[in-house]
Amino acid sequence: MTHRVTVGGHVHVFADLKQLMAKATPLRSGDMLAGIAAASMEENMAAKIALADLPLRTFLSEALVPYEEDEVTRLILDTHDAAAFSPIASLTVGEFRDWLCSERATPEVLAAIAPGVTPEMAAAVSKLMRNQDLILVARKCRVVTRFRDTIGLPGTMAVRLQPNHPTDDAAGILASTIDGLLYGCGDAVIGINPASDSLPVLGDLVRLLDELIRRFEIPTQSCVLTHVTSAIALIGQGAPVDLVFQSVAGTQKANESFGISLSVLREGLEAGRSLKRGTVGDNVMYFETGQGSALSADAHHGVDQQTLEARAYAVCRPFEPLLVNTVVGFIGPEYLYDGKQIIRAGLEDHFCGKLMGVPLGCDVCYTNHAEADQDDMDTLLTLLGTAGVNFVMGVPGADDVMLNYQSTSFHDQLYIREVLGLRRAPEFEAWLRRMDITDEAGRLSSGRGGQALLAAMQGKAA
Amino acid sequence: MLPPDERWAALTRLTPARIALGRAGASLPTREVLRFGLAHAQARDAVHIPFRPEEVAADLAALALETVQVESAAPSRDLYLRRPDLGRRLSPEGQAVLAARRGAFDFAFVVADGLSSTAVQQNAAPLIAAMLPFLKQQDLKLAPVVIASQARVALGDEAAEALGARLVAVLIGERPGLSSPDSLGAYLTFAPRRGLSDAMRNCVSNIRPGGLTFEHAAFKLAWLARQALRRALTGVDLKDESELALVSGEGASRLPIASK
């Protein structure tokens, strides 16, 4: 269907829904690279104005990526919850924004409609929202998940401890892990990006973290971020796998470039759950996403990267993940050019995921060829902390020596806790208190905390 | 047993990661803020300080190598960063220059600035110097060394195809990390031609004095080059087993001293 709007004496015509969505998106380099961005600022506003008048239900009858070609589209439409959708069924996209910002959209109401919100609806309304709207509404959306601790409770923020090492050296990984624990990090997961993809190496890393977690009875979970099929193989070999990881994207073709399908993810979920290693819940999946991944796999179907990112959350949703992490600035400046684009994308991703009922966290990050620096990360971290992000990364000194990019540090999470009064997952917080790493207020204790952890490394560092 | 603070500090020996940094309240101590800031500045400079191809050409002339300088289709650093597709193609002038030098070559070097001019400026010529004895040993006919500005890896395919080379090694500045702004990558591609995917290449990365040494990298690349020419392929089907050769002594006797 053609969309037409007159602004400033010009008639703007949009050939179809995906073109309207792309042109309404805040400017970013990835959409320019794909050749689908608005050609002028007026065209960008004209598209937003046209989009505001579009009934939400249009997205249930007009697929942006063809239903016949794409299992993600089929998943979205075939599992849409019409009853959950009914309170917002009569709204336009613009009216949906007003409704979301209003007092009527309470946390309970938002949780109830989440299964009725498709990724395209979430993406569409986000395109009409300013950063403050994305923060205001996301803050009202609560998504709580559990494995060995409880993540996403109001007033809390968890941290993935990311102890990567360029050669997967066990002592090096343990050193960074203990450093992070001594700063009170690790309640989301202790998660290693391995340099190797060999199963014996991966198995050793899984056992390394399992032994640490068992020895100190840490109420958290481990993950070695490798391909889902490797995790399934490790589980088959009897490795103590807590979380099953996979990178996912918003189209079937992009997921094929990752070597996965929905059925492979289902196998991963079943394998993970079969071990019954969770103590307070069975959310066993950990997904990572990021705007631009479909374009980089030449699998974007002419759809803008922000909408495709929201579709990746639809891929995650049925697998009841513990953690979904948008790795927002990792992909590079050809997709998100500078700090402004990265900050906006981080807020959009968090909002869309939470509105859809998905437990979004964010790797607040950038590469050295992007026009961004640590000041931009401070800004995004502060905004996401305010928006109620479920978790962020904890990387030693913000410098990942394996992946060569900058994220948020152990110190950064201390900063945001102090400024916003954010607590850790309650089970993990109680453990830190028992270990005398933190005091009653959740601050690092001044004295002898964590001596037992350091003693565990004594022989290795000698 | 060490006191806790020293025990914590002792962990730094185990990893290059920034651990045991201390704190000022919840924040980083000034010393660490400045150390990080300097590393970031160096990484940014590696991306943005203009590449000086004439200096690389002079270094290579000192090795008695012929060179040809070309540019990609990306006219500026800004466009290079936004449009990876332009960095993968030669400019029309570059195409003409290389077509004029066409011959029957076994091996072509393409030195490309990539994302770190620092890496290429400092490390490309020493790596080539370390590789020359190996290539001589294999009796390979070398094409003139292409020095390409605003270039990505795949530009090497078009360049080597234009020159008529059977095998190309693209030496390129890698995306700079904070602790490795000078990291050089080497991509080896058999039967280079436009349109190949990265699955058709073998990569040796982190080549720099503080990472994989020139001598070690040269040995790996020479091993891969020999296998590539013998088996007529590169990519996922050619596994890097050069370490086995090194351990078994195949390498030790053949490891030449890098000549300047």
Side-chain angles (χ1 to χ4, degrees):
Chain A
M1 193 183 89
T2 306
H3 303 267
R4 191 180 294 270
V5 65
T6 305
V7 292
H10 300 116
V11 181
H12 292 271
V13 181
F14 305 99
D16 55 22
L17 189 51
K18 73 180 175 189
Q19 191 183 93
L20 181 68
M21 291 279 275
K23 303 268 185 186
T25 302
L27 193 70
R28 62 205 51 189
S29 49
D31 292 333
M32 295 168 73
L33 181 63
I36 58 174
S40 68
M41 296 179 80
E42 184 180 286
E43 187 184 29
N44 179 229
M45 280 315 302
K48 286 186 209 280
I49 289 164
L51 186 60
D53 288 337
L54 189 82
L56 274 185
R57 60 170 74 251
T58 311
F59 292 105
L60 297 176
S61 54
E62 243 181 279
L64 298 186
V65 181
Y67 182 93
E68 298 72 23
E69 289 175 32
D70 188 277
E71 67 170 357
V72 179
T73 300
R74 293 197 289 276
L75 170 75
I76 292 164
L77 294 177
D78 294 352
T79 64
H80 182 250
D81 186 335
F85 180 63
S86 63
I88 54 173
S90 65
L91 303 180
T92 63
V93 176
E95 288 165 349
F96 188 35
R97 177 193 164 275
D98 292 339
W99 182 87
L100 287 170
C101 292
S102 77
E103 304 79 17
R104 278 173 294 160
T106 62
E108 295 72 27
V109 169
L110 287 168
I113 65 151
V117 177
T118 69
E120 289 82 359
M121 293 174 194
V125 74
S126 80
K127 295 178 195 301
L128 305 184
M129 295 167 86
R130 284 171 45 194
N131 286 2
Q132 67 165 268
D133 304 335
L134 298 172
I135 294 168
L136 177 86
V137 179
R139 191 179 168 82
K140 296 195 281 185
C141 301
R142 282 291 161 189
V143 185
V144 179
T145 59
R146 296 177 177 85
F147 189 77
R148 287 197 195 99
D149 57 0
T150 308
I151 297 165
L153 292 170
T156 70
M157 182 195 75
V159 173
R160 168 189 164 192
L161 204 172
Q162 184 169 311
N164 297 342
H165 186 279
T167 59
D168 296 331
D169 179 75
I173 284 170
L174 267 186
S176 288
T177 303
I178 285 171
D179 194 68
L181 290 170
L182 291 175
Y183 289 101
C185 293
D187 46 350
V189 62
I190 303 173
I192 304 168
N193 297 92
S196 167
D197 57 4
S198 107
L199 275 188
V201 173
L202 300 173
D204 287 346
L205 293 176
V206 168
R207 282 182 286 275
L208 179 78
L209 292 183
D210 177 56
E211 280 161 25
L212 180 78
I213 288 171
R214 277 193 294 116
R215 175 166 172 191
F216 292 100
E217 299 176 324
I218 311 173
T220 189
Q221 35 283 330
S222 73
C223 188
V224 174
L225 284 74
T226 184
H227 198 263
V228 60
T229 54
S230 296
I232 293 169
L234 287 169
I235 290 169
Q237 294 172 4
V241 173
D242 286 344
L243 303 186
V244 174
F245 171 81
Q246 183 56 47
S247 292
V248 298
T251 68
Q252 177 178 334
K253 195 177 165 200
N255 284 328
E256 283 166 359
S257 80
F258 291 154
I260 59 155
S261 63
L262 296 174
S263 68
V264 173
L265 294 179
R266 198 157 293 116
E267 284 172 41
L269 174 69
E270 285 163 9
R273 283 200 169 149
S274 72
L275 298 181
K276 300 190 193 321
R277 292 175 57 80
T279 51
V280 298
D282 67 351
N283 300 116
V284 299
M285 301 300 286
Y286 174 5
F287 293 116
E288 285 191 348
T289 66
Q291 290 191 24
S293 58
L295 175 58
S296 84
D298 193 22
H300 62 97
H301 297 270
V303 177
D304 68 90
Q305 66 183 36
Q306 189 253 331
T307 300
L308 292 178
E309 171 70 5
R311 283 169 56 98
Y313 309 146
V315 170
C316 303
R317 186 157 58 174
F319 302 102
E320 300 176 350
L322 184 78
L323 309 163
V324 175
N325 180 21
T326 171
V327 190
V328 67
F330 187 75
I331 192 162
E334 60 268 43
Y335 302 93
L336 294 168
Y337 187 68
D338 56 13
K340 183 176 173 68
Q341 293 188 7
I342 292 170
I343 289 165
R344 172 75 195 183
L347 293 175
E348 287 167 348
D349 294 352
H350 177 248
F351 162 80
C352 287
K354 287 289 182 68
L355 186 64
M356 292 168 60
V358 174
L360 252 282
C362 184
D363 190 340
V364 173
C365 65
Y366 65 106
T367 58
N368 287 317
H369 61 315
E371 291 296 316
D373 61 21
Q374 224 60 25
D375 287 338
D376 297 307
M377 300 304 103
D378 291 344
T379 303
L380 180 53
L381 176 64
T382 307
L383 296 177
L384 283 171
T386 308
V389 70
N390 275 33
F391 63 97
V392 297
M393 303 302 107
V395 175
D399 170 15
D400 190 304
V401 294
M402 203 287 275
L403 295 171
N404 281 340
Y405 78 119
Q406 285 93 255
S407 180
T408 46
S409 68
F410 303 150
H411 294 74
D412 291 333
Q413 57 91 34
L414 290 178
Y415 145 78
I416 199 69
R417 292 188 193 291
E418 182 152 323
V419 169
L420 298 177
L422 294 170
R423 307 297 292 244
R424 299 173 178 88
E427 300 87 348
F428 191 81
E429 183 167 287
W431 176 80
L432 290 172
R433 183 88 189 88
R434 281 203 302 282
M435 294 290 288
D436 193 24
I437 292 172
T438 55
D439 64 16
E440 276 160 16
R443 290 210 172 87
L444 295 190
S445 52
S446 49
R448 334 222 110 239
Q451 285 196 41
L453 286 169
L454 283 170
M457 291 299 294
Q458 184 72 7
K460 299 196 165 75
Chain B
M1 197 146 115
L2 295 168
D5 276 0
E6 287 177 37
R7 253 186 276 161
W8 196 343
L11 298 185
T12 57
R13 281 177 233 148
L14 300 173
T15 174
R18 290 169 195 258
I19 60 170
L21 301 182
R23 56 191 177 92
S27 306
L28 278 177
T30 303
R31 175 189 75 245
E32 294 298 336
V33 172
L34 295 175
R35 193 165 74 93
F36 183 99
L38 176 61
H40 183 241
Q42 289 168 338
R44 295 285 291 156
D45 282 348
V47 176
H48 288 284
I49 286 182
F51 180 40
R52 299 180 304 280
E54 64 287 350
E55 291 180 15
V56 175
D59 291 345
L60 295 176
L63 297 170
L65 290 172
E66 279 184 73
T67 57
V68 196
Q69 293 180 35
V70 298
E71 287 171 358
S72 79
S76 67
R77 199 62 172 166
D78 178 64
L79 262 173
Y80 172 81
L81 292 172
R82 287 177 190 268
R83 292 281 306 273
D85 53 322
L86 296 181
R88 296 185 190 115
R89 299 206 316 260
L90 284 167
S91 68
E93 298 78 17
Q95 290 172 0
V97 169
L98 294 182
R101 303 294 292 268
R102 189 175 175 82
F105 302 108
D106 297 313
F107 192 96
F109 280 112
V110 175
V111 175
D113 52 354
L115 287 170
S116 172
S117 60
T118 305
V120 180
Q121 216 77 52
Q122 296 177 2
N123 298 334
L127 177 64
I128 290 175
M131 282 188 73
L132 284 179
F134 288 109
L135 299 178
K136 203 169 204 172
Q137 205 169 46
Q138 293 179 39
D139 204 19
L140 299 181
K141 188 169 180 217
L142 278 189
V145 178
V146 178
I147 304 174
S149 302
Q150 311 289 17
R152 295 192 185 252
V153 173
L155 180 136
D157 296 338
E158 189 180 353
E161 185 180 26
L163 285 171
R166 292 171 66 206
L167 185 63
V168 63
V170 177
L171 313 183
I172 190 165
E174 293 181 330
R175 193 178 81 181
L178 285 200
S179 48
S180 54
D182 58 342
S183 190
L184 190 76
Y187 291 81
L188 209 61
T189 312
F190 182 78
R193 59 203 178 278
R194 271 165 295 186
L196 291 181
S197 82
D198 288 340
M200 307 299 284
R201 314 183 198 289
N202 287 87
C203 176
V204 174
S205 79
N206 196 29
I207 304 167
R208 60 194 175 96
L212 188 67
T213 62
F214 300 130
E215 288 71 24
H216 196 167
F219 178 76
K220 272 181 178 297
L221 287 164
W223 187 91
L224 286 166
R226 183 187 294 271
Q227 296 295 321
L229 291 168
R230 183 181 292 167
R231 297 171 55 191
L233 58 83
T234 46
V236 288
D237 291 328
L238 175 56
K239 301 293 180 206
D240 179 5
E241 289 162 354
S242 60
E243 298 300 317
L244 295 177
L246 200 56
V247 170
S248 71
E250 182 190 333
S253 61
R254 293 186 188 166
L255 195 64
I257 307 300
S259 56
K260 280 278 172 190

